[in-house]
Amino acid sequence: MADTVRVRFAPSPTGELHIGGARTAIYNWAFARAMGGTFILRIEDTDPERSTEENKQVILRAMRWLGLDWDEGPEVGGEFGPYLQTQRFDTYTEALEILKERGAAYPCFCTKEELDAKRAAAEANEGGYSGYDRTCRALSAEEAQARIDAGEPHVWRLKVPEDHGPVEFDDAVYGHMSFPIDVMDDMILVRTDGTPTYNFAVVCDDANMEVTHVIRGDDHLSNTPRQILIYEALGRPVPTFAHLSMILGADGRKLSKRRNATSVEEYRDRGYLSDALVNFLALLGWSLDGETTIIDRATLCREFSLDRITKKDAVFDETKLDWMNGQYIKEMGADAWAQASRPWLVQSGADEADIDARPEWYAKLYPLVAERLQRLDEVPDKLAYMFWGGRVELDEKSVTKILTKEGARADEVLRAVRDILADESIPWECEPLQERVRTLTETLDMKAKGVFQPVRVAVCGNMVSPPLFESIELLPREDILARIDQTLSEVFGA
Protein backbone atom coordinates (compact mmCIF):
# COMPACT_ATOMS: atom_id res chain seq x y z
CA MET A 1 0.00 0.00 0.00
CA ALA A 2 1.18 3.50 -0.80
CA ASP A 3 2.71 5.58 2.00
CA THR A 4 0.71 8.65 1.05
CA VAL A 5 -3.04 9.00 0.65
CA ARG A 6 -4.33 7.89 -2.76
CA VAL A 7 -8.05 8.26 -3.47
CA ARG A 8 -10.12 7.85 -6.59
CA PHE A 9 -13.39 8.99 -8.09
CA ALA A 10 -14.59 6.38 -10.55
CA PRO A 11 -17.74 7.40 -12.43
CA SER A 12 -19.41 5.37 -15.17
CA PRO A 13 -19.79 7.42 -18.38
CA THR A 14 -23.42 6.44 -18.82
CA GLY A 15 -24.85 9.96 -18.62
CA GLU A 16 -24.36 13.23 -16.80
CA LEU A 17 -22.46 13.76 -13.55
CA HIS A 18 -25.16 13.91 -10.92
CA ILE A 19 -25.19 15.76 -7.63
CA GLY A 20 -24.48 12.68 -5.52
CA GLY A 21 -21.49 11.76 -7.66
CA ALA A 22 -20.26 15.35 -7.60
CA ARG A 23 -20.29 15.37 -3.79
CA THR A 24 -18.33 12.10 -3.75
CA ALA A 25 -15.80 13.62 -6.15
CA ILE A 26 -15.49 16.75 -3.98
CA TYR A 27 -14.87 14.71 -0.83
CA ASN A 28 -12.20 12.60 -2.52
CA TRP A 29 -10.54 15.68 -4.05
CA ALA A 30 -10.63 17.70 -0.82
CA PHE A 31 -9.32 14.76 1.25
CA ALA A 32 -6.42 14.24 -1.16
CA ARG A 33 -5.56 17.94 -1.02
CA ALA A 34 -5.84 18.12 2.78
CA MET A 35 -3.61 15.06 3.21
CA GLY A 36 -1.07 16.01 0.55
CA GLY A 37 -2.15 12.94 -1.39
CA THR A 38 -3.17 11.99 -4.92
CA PHE A 39 -6.61 12.35 -6.48
CA ILE A 40 -7.25 9.82 -9.26
CA LEU A 41 -10.02 10.03 -11.85
CA ARG A 42 -10.84 6.60 -13.26
CA ILE A 43 -13.54 5.95 -15.83
CA GLU A 44 -15.52 2.74 -15.34
CA ASP A 45 -16.64 2.30 -18.94
CA THR A 46 -17.42 -1.41 -19.13
CA ASP A 47 -21.12 -0.93 -19.99
CA PRO A 48 -20.77 -1.14 -23.81
CA GLU A 49 -24.23 0.25 -24.61
CA ARG A 50 -24.23 3.32 -22.35
CA SER A 51 -20.53 4.09 -21.96
CA THR A 52 -19.76 6.43 -24.82
CA GLU A 53 -16.98 8.86 -25.61
CA GLU A 54 -19.55 11.66 -25.56
CA ASN A 55 -20.66 10.69 -22.05
CA LYS A 56 -17.04 10.51 -20.94
CA GLN A 57 -16.52 14.07 -22.16
CA VAL A 58 -19.65 15.15 -20.26
CA ILE A 59 -18.10 13.80 -17.06
CA LEU A 60 -14.72 15.46 -17.71
CA ARG A 61 -16.40 18.75 -18.60
CA ALA A 62 -18.42 18.75 -15.39
CA MET A 63 -15.31 17.93 -13.33
CA ARG A 64 -13.39 20.77 -14.96
CA TRP A 65 -16.26 23.21 -14.39
CA LEU A 66 -16.37 22.22 -10.72
CA GLY A 67 -12.63 22.90 -10.55
CA LEU A 68 -11.82 19.38 -9.35
CA ASP A 69 -8.40 18.91 -10.89
CA TRP A 70 -7.20 15.31 -10.91
CA ASP A 71 -3.57 14.25 -10.46
CA GLU A 72 -3.89 11.03 -12.43
CA GLY A 73 -6.44 10.01 -15.02
CA PRO A 74 -7.70 10.79 -18.52
CA GLU A 75 -5.88 13.64 -20.28
CA VAL A 76 -3.34 13.71 -17.42
CA GLY A 77 -1.90 10.20 -17.39
CA GLY A 78 0.03 8.69 -14.53
CA GLU A 79 2.20 5.71 -13.68
CA PHE A 80 -0.78 3.55 -12.63
CA GLY A 81 -2.73 3.90 -15.90
CA PRO A 82 -4.51 3.33 -18.12
CA TYR A 83 -7.46 4.99 -16.38
CA LEU A 84 -10.30 3.52 -18.43
CA GLN A 85 -11.50 0.08 -17.38
CA THR A 86 -11.88 -1.09 -20.98
CA GLN A 87 -8.12 -0.66 -21.35
CA ARG A 88 -7.34 -2.70 -18.22
CA PHE A 89 -8.69 -6.15 -19.14
CA ASP A 90 -5.20 -7.66 -19.02
CA THR A 91 -4.98 -6.75 -15.31
CA TYR A 92 -8.25 -8.58 -14.60
CA THR A 93 -6.97 -11.65 -16.45
CA GLU A 94 -3.76 -11.56 -14.42
CA ALA A 95 -5.70 -11.27 -11.16
CA LEU A 96 -7.93 -14.21 -12.07
CA GLU A 97 -4.85 -16.32 -12.81
CA ILE A 98 -3.50 -15.48 -9.35
CA LEU A 99 -6.77 -16.62 -7.77
CA LYS A 100 -6.74 -19.85 -9.80
CA GLU A 101 -3.19 -20.61 -8.71
CA ARG A 102 -4.18 -20.05 -5.08
CA GLY A 103 -7.26 -22.23 -5.42
CA ALA A 104 -9.39 -19.19 -4.58
CA ALA A 105 -11.49 -19.27 -7.75
CA TYR A 106 -13.32 -22.04 -9.55
CA PRO A 107 -15.30 -22.43 -12.80
CA CYS A 108 -19.08 -22.70 -12.59
CA PHE A 109 -21.00 -24.34 -15.43
CA CYS A 110 -24.53 -23.81 -14.07
CA THR A 111 -26.76 -22.22 -16.69
CA LYS A 112 -28.98 -19.24 -16.05
CA GLU A 113 -32.02 -21.49 -16.31
CA GLU A 114 -30.61 -23.88 -13.71
CA LEU A 115 -29.78 -21.02 -11.35
CA ASP A 116 -33.23 -19.44 -11.82
CA ALA A 117 -34.88 -22.78 -11.04
CA LYS A 118 -32.79 -23.21 -7.89
CA ARG A 119 -33.62 -19.68 -6.79
CA ALA A 120 -37.36 -20.23 -7.34
CA ALA A 121 -37.28 -23.49 -5.40
CA ALA A 122 -35.35 -21.92 -2.54
CA GLU A 123 -37.68 -18.93 -2.34
CA ALA A 124 -40.68 -21.24 -2.22
CA ASN A 125 -39.32 -22.84 0.95
CA GLU A 126 -39.15 -21.25 4.35
CA GLY A 127 -35.83 -19.47 4.75
CA GLY A 128 -35.73 -18.23 1.18
CA TYR A 129 -32.84 -17.87 -1.20
CA SER A 130 -29.41 -17.67 0.42
CA GLY A 131 -27.19 -17.48 -2.65
CA TYR A 132 -25.49 -19.88 -4.99
CA ASP A 133 -25.47 -23.44 -3.61
CA ARG A 134 -21.85 -24.08 -4.69
CA THR A 135 -22.74 -27.04 -6.93
CA CYS A 136 -19.66 -26.60 -9.12
CA ARG A 137 -17.32 -26.00 -6.20
CA ALA A 138 -17.36 -29.75 -5.61
CA LEU A 139 -16.12 -30.59 -9.11
CA SER A 140 -12.65 -32.11 -9.31
CA ALA A 141 -9.96 -30.05 -11.05
CA GLU A 142 -9.78 -32.72 -13.76
CA GLU A 143 -13.51 -32.68 -14.52
CA ALA A 144 -13.65 -28.87 -14.49
CA GLN A 145 -10.70 -28.63 -16.89
CA ALA A 146 -12.17 -31.23 -19.20
CA ARG A 147 -15.43 -29.29 -19.42
CA ILE A 148 -13.53 -26.07 -20.09
CA ASP A 149 -11.47 -27.81 -22.79
CA ALA A 150 -14.69 -29.05 -24.35
CA GLY A 151 -15.82 -25.46 -24.74
CA GLU A 152 -18.60 -25.59 -22.16
CA PRO A 153 -19.69 -22.04 -21.18
CA HIS A 154 -18.70 -21.11 -17.64
CA VAL A 155 -18.14 -18.25 -15.23
CA TRP A 156 -15.47 -17.96 -12.57
CA ARG A 157 -16.54 -17.69 -8.94
CA LEU A 158 -14.71 -16.71 -5.77
CA LYS A 159 -14.21 -19.62 -3.40
CA VAL A 160 -15.16 -18.04 -0.08
CA PRO A 161 -13.19 -19.79 2.69
CA GLU A 162 -15.53 -22.00 4.72
CA ASP A 163 -13.61 -21.29 7.92
CA HIS A 164 -13.74 -17.51 7.47
CA GLY A 165 -15.27 -15.60 10.37
CA PRO A 166 -17.45 -12.52 9.95
CA VAL A 167 -16.17 -9.96 7.45
CA GLU A 168 -15.31 -6.94 9.59
CA PHE A 169 -13.91 -3.50 8.90
CA ASP A 170 -13.82 -0.07 10.49
CA ASP A 171 -15.65 2.39 8.30
CA ALA A 172 -14.40 5.97 8.64
CA VAL A 173 -18.01 7.20 8.78
CA TYR A 174 -20.14 4.31 10.06
CA GLY A 175 -17.65 2.88 12.52
CA HIS A 176 -17.13 -0.85 13.09
CA MET A 177 -19.04 -3.01 10.61
CA SER A 178 -19.50 -6.77 10.71
CA PHE A 179 -21.14 -9.04 8.11
CA PRO A 180 -21.73 -12.76 8.80
CA ILE A 181 -19.85 -14.96 6.37
CA ASP A 182 -22.87 -17.17 5.69
CA VAL A 183 -24.53 -14.40 3.66
CA MET A 184 -21.49 -14.19 1.38
CA ASP A 185 -22.07 -16.60 -1.46
CA ASP A 186 -19.41 -17.55 -3.99
CA MET A 187 -19.86 -14.47 -6.16
CA ILE A 188 -19.09 -14.37 -9.86
CA LEU A 189 -15.78 -12.70 -10.67
CA VAL A 190 -15.67 -13.16 -14.45
CA ARG A 191 -18.71 -13.68 -16.66
CA THR A 192 -19.16 -16.23 -19.44
CA ASP A 193 -17.99 -13.70 -22.05
CA GLY A 194 -14.77 -13.06 -20.12
CA THR A 195 -15.73 -9.65 -18.76
CA PRO A 196 -15.15 -8.92 -15.06
CA THR A 197 -18.00 -8.16 -12.69
CA TYR A 198 -18.09 -4.75 -11.00
CA ASN A 199 -16.83 -6.02 -7.62
CA PHE A 200 -13.89 -7.86 -9.17
CA ALA A 201 -12.84 -5.07 -11.52
CA VAL A 202 -13.05 -2.35 -8.88
CA VAL A 203 -10.91 -4.32 -6.44
CA CYS A 204 -8.31 -5.07 -9.10
CA ASP A 205 -8.20 -1.41 -10.12
CA ASP A 206 -8.04 -0.05 -6.56
CA ALA A 207 -5.38 -2.58 -5.58
CA ASN A 208 -3.23 -1.97 -8.67
CA MET A 209 -3.56 1.80 -8.32
CA GLU A 210 -2.59 1.50 -4.65
CA VAL A 211 -5.72 3.31 -3.49
CA THR A 212 -5.53 3.84 0.27
CA HIS A 213 -9.02 5.22 0.97
CA VAL A 214 -12.28 4.40 -0.81
CA ILE A 215 -14.75 7.26 -0.25
CA ARG A 216 -18.11 6.53 -1.88
CA GLY A 217 -21.88 6.50 -1.41
CA ASP A 218 -23.41 4.17 1.17
CA ASP A 219 -25.29 2.38 -1.62
CA HIS A 220 -21.97 0.53 -1.99
CA LEU A 221 -21.87 -0.52 1.65
CA SER A 222 -23.23 -3.99 0.87
CA ASN A 223 -20.48 -4.45 -1.76
CA THR A 224 -17.73 -3.79 0.76
CA PRO A 225 -17.59 -7.19 2.54
CA ARG A 226 -17.57 -8.93 -0.85
CA GLN A 227 -14.74 -6.73 -2.03
CA ILE A 228 -12.78 -7.34 1.15
CA LEU A 229 -12.97 -11.09 0.46
CA ILE A 230 -11.47 -10.45 -2.98
CA TYR A 231 -8.67 -8.31 -1.52
CA GLU A 232 -7.89 -11.09 0.92
CA ALA A 233 -7.95 -13.75 -1.79
CA LEU A 234 -5.52 -11.69 -3.88
CA GLY A 235 -3.29 -11.09 -0.87
CA ARG A 236 -3.61 -7.32 -1.25
CA PRO A 237 -4.00 -4.78 1.58
CA VAL A 238 -7.56 -3.62 2.23
CA PRO A 239 -8.05 0.16 1.95
CA THR A 240 -9.90 2.31 4.49
CA PHE A 241 -13.55 2.67 3.53
CA ALA A 242 -15.69 5.76 4.11
CA HIS A 243 -19.33 5.51 3.06
CA LEU A 244 -21.36 8.67 2.53
CA SER A 245 -25.01 9.01 3.47
CA MET A 246 -27.74 9.64 0.94
CA ILE A 247 -28.74 13.08 -0.33
CA LEU A 248 -32.46 13.70 -0.01
CA GLY A 249 -34.65 16.34 -1.61
CA ALA A 250 -36.50 18.92 0.47
CA ASP A 251 -39.47 16.52 0.44
CA GLY A 252 -37.41 13.92 2.30
CA ARG A 253 -37.25 11.61 -0.71
CA LYS A 254 -34.18 10.56 -2.65
CA LEU A 255 -33.19 13.04 -5.36
CA SER A 256 -34.92 12.15 -8.61
CA LYS A 257 -34.62 13.41 -12.17
CA ARG A 258 -38.40 13.77 -12.29
CA ARG A 259 -38.63 15.97 -9.20
CA ASN A 260 -35.25 17.71 -9.00
CA ALA A 261 -32.51 19.13 -11.15
CA THR A 262 -29.89 16.47 -10.53
CA SER A 263 -26.94 17.00 -12.85
CA VAL A 264 -24.01 19.36 -12.35
CA GLU A 265 -24.45 20.92 -15.78
CA GLU A 266 -28.10 21.69 -15.07
CA TYR A 267 -26.96 23.81 -12.12
CA ARG A 268 -24.28 25.45 -14.25
CA ASP A 269 -26.89 26.31 -16.90
CA ARG A 270 -29.22 27.75 -14.27
CA GLY A 271 -26.61 30.29 -13.29
CA TYR A 272 -24.94 28.80 -10.25
CA LEU A 273 -21.24 29.45 -9.69
CA SER A 274 -18.98 26.43 -9.39
CA ASP A 275 -17.43 27.80 -6.18
CA ALA A 276 -20.87 28.08 -4.61
CA LEU A 277 -21.96 24.61 -5.72
CA VAL A 278 -18.74 23.03 -4.42
CA ASN A 279 -19.19 24.85 -1.08
CA PHE A 280 -22.84 23.78 -0.86
CA LEU A 281 -22.22 20.13 -1.75
CA ALA A 282 -19.27 19.92 0.64
CA LEU A 283 -21.65 20.81 3.49
CA LEU A 284 -24.10 18.04 2.59
CA GLY A 285 -22.75 15.63 5.14
CA TRP A 286 -19.58 17.40 6.33
CA SER A 287 -18.94 20.52 8.37
CA LEU A 288 -15.95 22.61 9.28
CA ASP A 289 -17.07 23.49 12.79
CA GLY A 290 -20.85 23.13 12.79
CA GLU A 291 -21.33 26.87 12.21
CA THR A 292 -19.33 28.19 9.24
CA THR A 293 -21.40 28.24 6.05
CA ILE A 294 -19.22 30.00 3.48
CA ILE A 295 -16.10 27.89 2.97
CA ASP A 296 -13.78 28.69 0.09
CA ARG A 297 -11.80 26.07 -1.79
CA ALA A 298 -8.54 26.83 -0.02
CA THR A 299 -10.15 26.29 3.38
CA LEU A 300 -11.92 23.13 2.22
CA CYS A 301 -8.66 21.71 0.85
CA ARG A 302 -6.83 22.57 4.06
CA GLU A 303 -9.40 21.50 6.65
CA PHE A 304 -11.34 18.59 5.14
CA SER A 305 -11.26 15.41 7.21
CA LEU A 306 -13.18 12.15 7.24
CA ASP A 307 -13.97 12.36 10.96
CA ARG A 308 -16.34 15.28 10.41
CA ILE A 309 -18.54 13.42 7.92
CA THR A 310 -21.94 12.62 9.41
CA LYS A 311 -23.94 9.42 9.05
CA LYS A 312 -27.19 11.42 8.85
CA ASP A 313 -28.82 11.76 5.44
CA ALA A 314 -28.24 15.21 3.97
CA VAL A 315 -31.07 17.40 2.67
CA PHE A 316 -30.59 19.27 -0.58
CA ASP A 317 -32.16 22.65 0.24
CA GLU A 318 -32.21 24.67 -2.98
CA THR A 319 -33.29 27.80 -1.11
CA LYS A 320 -30.06 27.62 0.86
CA LEU A 321 -28.09 27.02 -2.34
CA ASP A 322 -29.69 30.12 -3.88
CA TRP A 323 -28.73 32.20 -0.84
CA MET A 324 -25.18 30.84 -0.88
CA ASN A 325 -24.82 31.50 -4.61
CA GLY A 326 -25.98 35.06 -4.00
CA GLN A 327 -23.24 35.50 -1.40
CA TYR A 328 -20.63 34.35 -3.89
CA ILE A 329 -22.00 36.70 -6.56
CA LYS A 330 -21.70 39.61 -4.12
CA GLU A 331 -18.06 38.82 -3.51
CA MET A 332 -16.90 37.80 -6.98
CA GLY A 333 -16.07 41.25 -8.34
CA ALA A 334 -17.13 43.08 -11.49
CA ASP A 335 -14.74 41.58 -14.02
CA ALA A 336 -15.34 37.98 -12.95
CA TRP A 337 -19.10 38.62 -12.91
CA ALA A 338 -19.10 40.09 -16.42
CA GLN A 339 -17.19 37.09 -17.73
CA ALA A 340 -19.36 34.52 -15.93
CA SER A 341 -22.55 36.31 -17.00
CA ARG A 342 -21.78 36.40 -20.72
CA PRO A 343 -24.46 33.88 -21.81
CA TRP A 344 -27.14 35.73 -19.85
CA LEU A 345 -25.96 39.18 -20.94
CA VAL A 346 -26.37 37.96 -24.53
CA GLN A 347 -29.86 36.73 -23.59
CA SER A 348 -30.52 40.23 -22.25
CA GLY A 349 -29.69 41.73 -25.63
CA ALA A 350 -25.95 42.30 -25.45
CA ASP A 351 -23.74 41.57 -28.44
CA GLU A 352 -20.77 39.22 -27.95
CA ALA A 353 -18.47 41.56 -29.86
CA ASP A 354 -19.62 44.51 -27.77
CA ILE A 355 -18.85 42.63 -24.54
CA ASP A 356 -15.30 42.14 -25.83
CA ALA A 357 -15.01 45.72 -27.06
CA ARG A 358 -16.34 47.44 -23.92
CA PRO A 359 -15.44 45.26 -20.93
CA GLU A 360 -15.24 48.27 -18.61
CA TRP A 361 -18.86 49.24 -19.43
CA TYR A 362 -20.12 45.73 -18.70
CA ALA A 363 -18.18 45.68 -15.45
CA LYS A 364 -20.18 48.77 -14.43
CA LEU A 365 -23.40 46.75 -14.63
CA TYR A 366 -22.22 44.61 -11.73
CA PRO A 367 -22.90 47.17 -8.94
CA LEU A 368 -26.45 47.54 -10.26
CA VAL A 369 -27.29 43.91 -9.55
CA ALA A 370 -24.63 42.45 -7.24
CA GLU A 371 -26.93 42.68 -4.20
CA ARG A 372 -30.00 41.57 -6.13
CA LEU A 373 -28.93 38.34 -7.83
CA GLN A 374 -29.09 34.84 -6.44
CA ARG A 375 -28.39 33.15 -9.77
CA LEU A 376 -26.84 34.41 -12.98
CA ASP A 377 -29.86 33.30 -15.00
CA GLU A 378 -31.72 36.17 -13.32
CA VAL A 379 -29.57 38.66 -15.25
CA PRO A 380 -31.97 39.01 -18.23
CA ASP A 381 -34.89 39.76 -15.93
CA LYS A 382 -32.85 42.38 -14.08
CA LEU A 383 -30.85 43.98 -16.91
CA ALA A 384 -32.69 43.60 -20.22
CA TYR A 385 -33.69 47.29 -20.08
CA MET A 386 -30.02 48.25 -20.42
CA PHE A 387 -30.05 46.86 -23.99
CA TRP A 388 -33.28 48.36 -25.34
CA GLY A 389 -31.62 51.35 -26.98
CA GLY A 390 -34.10 54.18 -27.51
CA ARG A 391 -37.24 52.13 -26.90
CA VAL A 392 -38.92 50.93 -23.74
CA GLU A 393 -41.03 47.84 -23.06
CA LEU A 394 -43.66 49.09 -20.63
CA ASP A 395 -45.04 46.73 -18.01
CA GLU A 396 -48.83 47.09 -17.99
CA LYS A 397 -49.16 46.68 -14.24
CA SER A 398 -46.54 49.38 -13.64
CA VAL A 399 -48.24 51.72 -16.11
CA THR A 400 -51.57 51.29 -14.30
CA LYS A 401 -50.15 51.59 -10.82
CA ILE A 402 -47.67 54.43 -11.42
CA LEU A 403 -48.35 56.33 -14.64
CA THR A 404 -52.13 56.38 -15.07
CA LYS A 405 -53.13 56.26 -11.41
CA GLU A 406 -55.58 59.03 -10.57
CA GLY A 407 -53.79 62.11 -9.31
CA ALA A 408 -50.32 60.80 -10.17
CA ARG A 409 -49.49 63.71 -12.53
CA ALA A 410 -47.01 61.37 -14.19
CA ASP A 411 -47.17 63.12 -17.57
CA GLU A 412 -46.30 66.42 -15.90
CA VAL A 413 -43.41 64.79 -14.05
CA LEU A 414 -42.00 63.13 -17.19
CA ARG A 415 -42.05 66.38 -19.18
CA ALA A 416 -40.24 68.21 -16.40
CA VAL A 417 -37.69 65.40 -16.02
CA ARG A 418 -37.16 65.30 -19.76
CA ASP A 419 -36.25 68.98 -19.75
CA ILE A 420 -33.66 68.40 -17.04
CA LEU A 421 -32.16 65.35 -18.76
CA ALA A 422 -31.99 67.24 -22.06
CA ASP A 423 -29.95 70.03 -20.45
CA GLU A 424 -26.41 69.32 -21.62
CA SER A 425 -24.96 71.72 -19.05
CA ILE A 426 -25.67 69.09 -16.40
CA PRO A 427 -22.95 66.40 -16.30
CA TRP A 428 -24.29 63.03 -17.49
CA GLU A 429 -23.53 61.42 -14.15
CA CYS A 430 -25.65 59.81 -11.48
CA GLU A 431 -25.31 62.33 -8.64
CA PRO A 432 -25.86 65.67 -10.46
CA LEU A 433 -28.73 64.25 -12.53
CA GLN A 434 -30.43 62.78 -9.48
CA GLU A 435 -30.04 65.98 -7.48
CA ARG A 436 -31.51 68.13 -10.23
CA VAL A 437 -34.48 65.82 -10.63
CA ARG A 438 -34.94 65.82 -6.85
CA THR A 439 -35.54 69.60 -7.00
CA LEU A 440 -38.82 68.81 -8.73
CA THR A 441 -40.24 67.65 -5.42
CA GLU A 442 -40.34 71.33 -4.42
CA THR A 443 -41.07 72.75 -7.86
CA LEU A 444 -44.03 70.42 -8.40
CA ASP A 445 -44.88 70.11 -4.70
CA MET A 446 -44.68 66.32 -4.81
CA LYS A 447 -43.11 63.57 -2.73
CA ALA A 448 -39.86 62.05 -4.05
CA LYS A 449 -41.67 58.79 -4.78
CA GLY A 450 -44.14 60.61 -7.02
CA VAL A 451 -41.25 62.09 -9.03
CA PHE A 452 -38.87 59.17 -9.27
CA GLN A 453 -41.25 56.27 -9.90
CA PRO A 454 -42.65 57.57 -13.21
CA VAL A 455 -39.08 58.07 -14.43
CA ARG A 456 -38.20 54.52 -13.40
CA VAL A 457 -41.13 53.10 -15.39
CA ALA A 458 -40.35 55.25 -18.44
CA VAL A 459 -36.66 54.31 -18.45
CA CYS A 460 -36.69 50.71 -17.13
CA GLY A 461 -40.20 49.67 -18.14
CA ASN A 462 -41.04 48.55 -14.62
CA MET A 463 -41.62 50.04 -11.19
CA VAL A 464 -39.08 47.57 -9.78
CA SER A 465 -35.54 47.83 -11.17
CA PRO A 466 -31.89 48.24 -10.24
CA PRO A 467 -30.76 51.75 -9.13
CA LEU A 468 -32.29 54.26 -11.54
CA PHE A 469 -29.77 57.06 -11.97
CA GLU A 470 -26.80 54.69 -11.85
CA SER A 471 -28.49 53.03 -14.85
CA ILE A 472 -29.20 56.31 -16.62
CA GLU A 473 -25.54 57.31 -16.34
CA LEU A 474 -24.51 54.20 -18.29
CA LEU A 475 -26.94 54.83 -21.17
CA PRO A 476 -26.75 57.47 -23.92
CA ARG A 477 -28.70 60.67 -23.27
CA GLU A 478 -30.58 60.34 -26.58
CA ASP A 479 -31.80 56.86 -25.66
CA ILE A 480 -33.17 58.01 -22.30
CA LEU A 481 -34.95 60.97 -23.90
CA ALA A 482 -36.39 58.69 -26.60
CA ARG A 483 -37.79 56.32 -23.97
CA ILE A 484 -39.47 59.17 -22.12
CA ASP A 485 -40.91 60.48 -25.40
CA GLN A 486 -42.23 57.01 -26.25
CA THR A 487 -43.86 56.70 -22.85
CA LEU A 488 -45.50 60.10 -23.10
CA SER A 489 -46.78 59.22 -26.57
CA GLU A 490 -48.01 55.69 -25.82
CA VAL A 491 -49.51 56.36 -22.41
CA PHE A 492 -50.63 59.98 -22.61
CA GLY A 493 -50.88 60.58 -26.34
CA ALA A 494 -48.51 63.50 -26.01
Side-chain angles (χ1 to χ4, degrees):
M1 189 67 77
D3 294 330
T4 57
V5 164
R6 289 178 58 81
V7 294
R8 50 70 167 179
F9 176 56
S12 299
T14 54
E16 297 169 309
L17 177 59
H18 293 286
I19 288 301
R23 181 189 62 170
T24 299
I26 290 165
Y27 282 16
N28 276 280
W29 172 77
F31 183 63
R33 297 291 172 261
M35 301 301 293
T38 300
F39 175 51
I40 305 162
L41 178 61
R42 185 175 73 227
I43 305 296
E44 299 189 339
D45 60 343
T46 51
D47 182 336
E49 292 182 8
R50 299 171 63 206
S51 296
T52 65
E53 177 62 25
E54 181 182 351
N55 283 338
K56 185 185 91 172
Q57 291 304 324
V58 168
I59 298 282
L60 299 184
R61 190 168 64 231
M63 291 286 287
R64 283 193 293 265
W65 181 77
L66 287 169
L68 306 181
D69 54 319
W70 52 97
D71 305 304
E72 296 178 20
E75 302 179 352
V76 174
E79 61 178 301
F80 294 89
Y83 295 92
L84 274 67
Q85 276 191 337
T86 49
Q87 297 174 8
R88 299 182 62 81
F89 277 95
D90 58 331
T91 65
Y92 312 137
T93 301
E94 290 170 12
L96 180 62
E97 290 304 316
I98 291 171
L99 295 180
K100 291 180 191 177
E101 289 169 12
R102 296 182 170 198
Y106 64 92
C108 172
F109 302 92
C110 297
T111 65
K112 181 179 183 301
E113 291 71 25
E114 289 171 337
L115 294 172
D116 287 345
K118 289 179 181 181
R119 179 189 293 270
E123 288 177 346
N125 296 323
E126 190 174 349
Y129 180 70
S130 59
Y132 176 60
D133 64 3
R134 299 177 171 174
T135 298
C136 295
R137 182 165 171 158
L139 296 176
S140 67
E142 293 76 20
E143 181 183 350
Q145 190 59 52
R147 294 174 72 171
I148 292 172
D149 292 343
E152 189 171 343
H154 61 282
V155 299
W156 286 91
R157 291 182 180 272
L158 180 72
K159 186 183 288 186
V160 176
E162 292 179 325
D163 58 351
H164 198 296
V167 181
E168 299 183 304
F169 63 97
D170 292 315
D171 190 274
V173 176
Y174 282 83
H176 187 72
M177 306 294 289
S178 180
F179 293 80
I181 197 66
D182 57 9
V183 301
M184 301 293 140
D185 66 352
D186 289 358
M187 73 196 90
I188 296 173
L189 301 173
V190 176
R191 304 181 185 92
T192 306
D193 63 1
T195 59
T197 58
Y198 167 77
N199 281 321
F200 186 47
V202 79
V203 168
C204 293
D205 290 342
D206 285 345
N208 290 331
M209 292 181 182
E210 299 186 6
V211 168
T212 61
H213 295 72
V214 174
I215 306 168
R216 61 189 181 186
D218 64 4
D219 53 328
H220 285 288
L221 194 55
S222 61
N223 285 326
T224 304
R226 292 175 168 80
Q227 292 173 7
I228 288 174
L229 290 171
I230 299 172
Y231 278 108
E232 292 175 351
L234 288 169
R236 302 297 292 268
V238 178
T240 298
F241 290 94
H243 289 92
L244 312 176
S245 62
M246 194 178 291
I247 300 176
L248 306 177
D251 57 3
R253 294 190 288 172
K254 187 177 179 181
L255 287 182
S256 157
K257 288 183 190 179
R258 291 195 309 276
R259 298 189 306 275
N260 322 91
T262 56
S263 81
V264 167
E265 292 194 323
E266 280 182 85
Y267 284 92
R268 178 201 65 191
D269 294 344
R270 290 174 62 199
Y272 292 95
L273 302 175
S274 62
D275 285 347
L277 190 59
V278 167
N279 185 161
F280 178 78
L281 292 178
L283 294 178
L284 292 183
W286 175 86
S287 69
L288 178 63
D289 51 23
E291 297 178 3
T292 307
T293 307
I294 303 298
I295 301 171
D296 61 30
R297 290 173 187 271
T299 303
L300 180 63
C301 289
R302 186 176 64 251
E303 302 293 340
F304 187 87
S305 62
L306 299 180
D307 61 355
R308 293 200 63 85
I309 298 175
T310 178
K311 288 183 280 190
K312 187 179 178 183
D313 287 338
V315 176
F316 193 103
D317 181 352
E318 201 163 283
T319 302
K320 183 175 180 180
L321 173 58
D322 286 346
W323 170 84
M324 186 177 288
N325 202 60
Q327 300 303 304
Y328 273 87
I329 289 173
K330 272 190 235 181
E331 299 297 324
M332 71 189 298
D335 292 336
W337 173 84
Q339 195 57 39
S341 299
R342 280 180 79 104
W344 295 283
L345 288 169
V346 170
Q347 270 185 42
S348 303
D351 181 83
E352 288 269 14
D354 190 53
I355 296 174
D356 292 330
R358 295 194 298 157
E360 69 290 334
W361 185 86
Y362 285 88
K364 288 177 183 176
L365 297 177
Y366 174 67
L368 302 181
V369 293
E371 300 282 337
R372 294 167 172 79
L373 291 175
Q374 288 195 317
R375 302 190 312 270
L376 295 181
D377 68 351
E378 297 169 344
V379 164
D381 183 56
K382 297 281 193 292
L383 287 177
Y385 72 95
M386 294 298 292
F387 303 96
W388 287 343
R391 60 185 179 82
V392 60
E393 297 178 10
L394 293 169
D395 169 58
E396 285 187 24
K397 184 179 177 183
S398 299
V399 168
T400 302
K401 197 165 184 181
I402 303 298
L403 299 184
T404 60
K405 182 181 178 183
E406 187 176 349
R409 298 165 59 195
D411 55 337
E412 185 181 351
V413 168
L414 289 177
R415 290 190 188 93
V417 170
R418 190 196 188 286
D419 289 342
I420 290 172
L421 297 180
D423 184 351
E424 295 187 10
S425 69
I426 304 171
W428 194 254
E429 296 169 5
C430 171
E431 290 300 327
L433 291 173
Q434 186 168 328
E435 286 311 307
R436 283 297 297 274
V437 171
R438 192 179 296 280
T439 64
L440 293 177
T441 58
E442 293 185 13
T443 307
L444 301 177
D445 190 22
M446 296 177 71
K447 292 181 179 178
K449 185 177 179 182
V451 172
F452 289 112
Q453 282 204 320
V455 184
R456 186 181 300 279
V457 175
V459 170
C460 307
N462 203 300
M463 58 187 172
V464 179
S465 77
L468 176 59
F469 283 90
E470 287 84 344
S471 301
I472 289 174
E473 177 184 324
L474 295 176
L475 293 168
R477 186 191 305 266
E478 59 270 22
D479 285 354
I480 298 298
L481 297 178
R483 293 185 192 187
I484 294 174
D485 288 342
Q486 178 193 329
T487 303
L488 284 167
S489 175
E490 283 187 16
V491 178
F492 302 104

